[in-house]
Amino acid sequence: MSQPTTDVTRLLRRVRNIREFTPEPISEDTLVDILEVGRWTGSASNRQPTEVVVVRDPQARQKLVEAGSNTAGKAAVSLVIVTPGDPARAELEIFDDGRLAERLLVAAAAHGLGSGITTLKGEGPAAVKQMLGIPSERRVRTVVNIGHRDEAAIRAKPKNPQPRKPMTEFAHWDHY
Ligand SMILES: Cc1cc2nc3c(=O)[nH]c(=O)nc-3n(C[C@H](O)[C@H](O)[C@H](O)COP(=O)(O)O)c2cc1C
């Protein structure tokens, strides 16, 4: 069945989690445009609980790599998402964190850049908070890495034969 698509929906379909980057930096203007998209992300009750720490320093980025798992050591920049850490609103904070992360990935893709998520695990959040001067009560779990795509390295990766489940297993029309 042929479906109508648009430039935007084609872009959205192509947003994948990228971990292979070239060393080329990203211009500050591009980064600010991506951050503007992040700033305009909607949140529960419009409480806007999210903030980001923009990490460009290679040594700090290396520490972020060590605090996460399977992440991209060579990205140009890492955006560390910070939320207030209110235990009573944990579910909403994590939802807002994820929604912001996705928008940042999409904004990066719209600029032709690669981007990927790393989740901080174990001692990772505490170590990252200490390194970046984030107050200890705040919640830090998601890092969005952004950089220029290393197309050769991406092509060389083994391909998942079914990167997504079929539509029949995803969408249930009128009844589950
Ligand atoms: C909530 C969440 C947490 C993730 N955490 C990590 C992570 O810690 N490390 C990592 O390499 N990828 C992480 N990813 C990326 C997923 O592995 C990726 O979305 C999935 O494998 C699909 O990749 P693809 O879009 O390239 O097919 C995370 C994604 C999400 C949505």
Side-chain angles (χ1 to χ4, degrees), residues 35-88:
L35 292 170
E36 278 293 350
V37 171
R39 191 170 71 86
W40 275 96
T41 305
S43 59
S45 309
N46 197 24
R47 289 169 84 111
Q48 304 173 60
T50 54
E51 300 171 276
V52 294
V53 181
V54 180
V55 181
R56 290 170 295 184
D57 173 63
Q59 278 183 337
R61 288 210 57 269
Q62 184 51 38
K63 292 210 174 107
L64 288 177
V65 169
E66 287 156 19
S69 65
N70 192 19
T71 188
K74 284 201 280 182
V77 64
S78 293
L79 306 178
V80 178
I81 299 179
V82 183
T83 59
D86 178 353

Side-chain angles (χ1 to χ4, degrees), residues 13-19 68-72 97-98 101-102 105 115-121 141-143 145 157 160 163-164:
R13 285 183 185 204
R14 285 202 316 268
V15 178
R16 303 291 294 274
N17 200 80
I18 300 301
R19 304 180 184 93
S69 65
N70 192 19
T71 188
D97 167 306
E102 180 66 15
L105 298 183
S115 53
I117 289 180
T118 305
T119 309
L120 300 172
K121 294 180 181 132
R141 70 192 303 275
T142 307
V143 179
N145 304 298
K157 271 178 44 164
N160 180 342
R164 294 296 184 268

